[in-house]
Amino acid sequence: MKQKVLFVCIHNSARSQMAEALLRASCSEFFEVESAGLEPGKLNPMAVEALREIGIDIATKETRPIDDLVRSGARFDYVITVCDEASAERCPTFPGVAKRMHWSFPDPSTFTGTEQERLERTREIREMIRERVESWCEETCAAPLG
């Protein structure tokens, strides 16, 4: 049985979307994965482009409010926040969550500079998230379930 994972950030526009897509690409045979945001915004085009460059297309993904999942009674084995510490504290508690984790990544929506400079910084975040996802997947998938 696949374990359920939820990635959460503020707007569900970049970090949580990238983490969801990267985990799905890395080890979807072990996990069902979703993402949501506290205050969903619009999908960040820099995140879309950064993932497209490595063969992952999220261009048609919608941002999703975490409140919908809370109200629906959704249950997750892992809830992983990928925002800053202050924002992570605002995330709701999910009943039955086996493990809550926090991976802090800078927010691409705050990047300034030219389009190329913002894209380059978003690529850096993509790689940070990819390394963390792959490392966690190796640890988790090697451990006995349950």
Side-chain angles (χ1 to χ4, degrees):
M1 188 160 140
K2 291 183 180 184
Q3 296 182 78
K4 293 185 74 173
V5 178
L6 175 66
F7 286 103
V8 180
C9 68
I10 297 299
H11 302 293
N12 189 221
S13 63
R15 295 166 292 183
S16 57
Q17 292 277 357
M18 288 193 286
E20 175 188 356
L22 290 164
L23 181 58
R24 187 171 283 122
S26 292
C27 45
S28 62
E29 66 274 20
F30 297 103
F31 300 105
E32 286 180 36
V33 60
E34 297 183 59
S35 65
L38 299 174
E39 302 161 2
K42 293 184 179 185
L43 199 56
N44 185 316
M46 297 293 166
V48 173
E49 179 59 26
L51 286 174
R52 182 176 289 133
E53 291 173 354
I54 61 168
I56 299 173
D57 185 7
I58 64 166
T60 59
K61 286 277 292 161
E62 302 272 332
T63 61
R64 182 177 194 180
I66 198 166
D67 290 345
D68 287 356
L69 295 171
V70 172
R71 281 194 296 274
S72 75
R75 303 244 186 229
F76 295 92
D77 297 296
Y78 296 91
V79 173
I80 304 172
T81 53
V82 291
C83 42
D84 60 60
E85 294 296 333
S87 300
E89 292 172 7
R90 295 173 40 202
C91 293
T93 301
F94 280 79
V97 169
K99 184 126 183 175
R100 185 171 172 166
M101 303 164 68
H102 178 67
W103 303 345
S104 184
F105 299 105
D107 184 356
S109 73
T110 65
F111 297 164
T112 58
T114 66
E115 183 173 325
Q116 190 59 39
E117 289 168 337
R118 292 190 327 267
L119 180 57
E120 183 54 39
R121 292 200 57 208
T122 303
R123 287 180 184 127
E124 291 169 10
I125 301 308
R126 176 199 67 206
E127 290 307 305
M128 291 168 60
I129 294 172
R130 180 173 18 194
E131 288 174 17
R132 186 65 183 101
V133 162
E134 288 175 356
S135 171
W136 180 74
C137 191
E138 286 176 19
E139 292 168 19
T140 306
C141 296
L145 297 178

